[in-house]
Amino acid sequence: MNKVRSRVFRPLMAGASFSDRLVACIGALAGIALTGFVCSHLPLAPHQIPVLVAPLGASAVLVFAVPASPLAQPWAVVGGNTISALVGVGIAASIPNVPLAAGLAVGGAILVMSLLRCLHPPGGAAALTAVIGGAQITEMGYAFAFMPVALNSLLLVALGWAFHRVSRHSYPHRAADAPAASTGIEMADIDKALSELGETFDVSREDLDSLIRAAERHADARRSTGPRAAAQRSKPAANDRLAPPEKAA
């Protein structure tokens, strides 16, 4: 039972730790609260406009819990949410059938985000909100995509940047430089492997390359200092074993 429990509740993502999750909780708390506070005090919109949009909660999870993810980068957050909201507003204005409009809005948002290299899962929720958010959002039209969606997203990214300066995480994320791997693996090899697997992973090609190189470096160190290497060093050389003993003068 304990083994099953450990498999079920272990971190789903490589590199995740409980302390990192606690830091993410603090970051999300501060990010959402401060974004709401700032937006509520800006004299930019009438009172009927929502101060915060629900998709921002999902954006906060990405920005503060997995800041290295390509889905959490500034252009993904701001562009993905704003563009998806624009798609949702356009679909809602064109198609009166709500279930059909909802599906087209989310599907269209994925397509446009993919083309513009700003795929961001909460963007699907922003597009859906534009369709099913009610008369208050429908009356706002395309303004909904800019206030509150774009403004919320910009503030969250700015707060994420400031927070991660303190938490010492890389945001906006840049892959760390790593020494060349002893195996001679190149980026083209990683591309071929990804194509062969046929899956999409929530990590950049550059991070994969850095991870592989770092793993190879540790593997080389282990092989050179491990028990087998020590045993090899303690064995006499083949020439020494075969050489006849020296005769006394």
Side-chain angles (χ1 to χ4, degrees):
M1 175 65 75
N2 289 335
K3 290 183 178 180
V4 173
R5 191 174 301 161
S6 65
R7 286 198 302 269
V8 171
F9 292 104
R10 68 184 178 185
L12 295 177
M13 292 177 293
S17 67
F18 185 69
S19 60
D20 283 336
R21 293 294 167 261
L22 286 178
V23 170
C25 293
I26 297 170
L29 186 159
I32 294 295
L34 288 173
T35 298
F37 176 81
V38 172
C39 288
S40 65
H41 286 78
L42 289 177
L44 300 176
H47 295 293
Q48 67 267 22
I49 292 179
V51 172
L52 293 172
V53 288
L56 199 70
S59 295
V61 173
L62 289 168
V63 170
F64 294 102
V66 282
S69 168
L71 306 176
Q73 301 314 298
W75 170 236
V77 177
V78 178
N81 282 336
T82 305
I83 290 166
S84 295
L86 289 170
V87 170
V89 171
I91 294 292
S94 305
I95 300 176
N97 185 293
V98 174
L100 178 60
L104 287 172
V106 175
I110 293 173
L111 175 61
V112 177
M113 284 190 290
S114 299
L115 292 173
L116 297 179
R117 300 176 64 84
C118 58
L119 188 65
H120 186 61
L128 187 61
T129 302
V131 176
I132 65 172
Q136 179 183 4
I137 291 176
T138 302
E139 290 172 2
M140 293 175 63
Y142 288 102
F144 168 72
F146 301 101
M147 174 63 191
V149 175
L151 181 59
N152 283 178
S153 302
L154 283 166
L155 286 171
L156 187 74
V157 164
L159 291 166
W161 178 87
F163 181 81
H164 287 305
R165 299 284 75 73
V166 178
S167 69
R168 297 184 180 278
H169 286 104
S170 170
Y171 188 82
H173 180 66
R174 296 291 183 271
D177 293 329
S182 60
T183 55
I185 294 175
E186 298 179 355
M187 191 66 75
D189 302 316
I190 295 175
D191 289 336
K192 288 180 180 178
L194 289 171
S195 176
E196 182 180 292
L197 290 172
E199 299 288 348
T200 300
F201 299 94
D202 187 12
V203 60
S204 69
R205 297 161 61 251
E206 292 77 14
D207 277 331
L208 279 175
D209 182 53
S210 296
L211 180 61
I212 291 170
R213 293 173 187 273
E216 279 296 326
R217 188 173 69 255
H218 289 294
D220 287 342
R222 173 176 50 78
R223 286 191 288 263
S224 64
T225 60
R228 288 186 180 180
Q232 286 294 115
R233 289 194 295 270
S234 66
K235 290 180 181 179
N239 291 337
D240 294 339
R241 292 198 303 268
L242 296 176
E246 294 183 1
K247 293 181 179 180

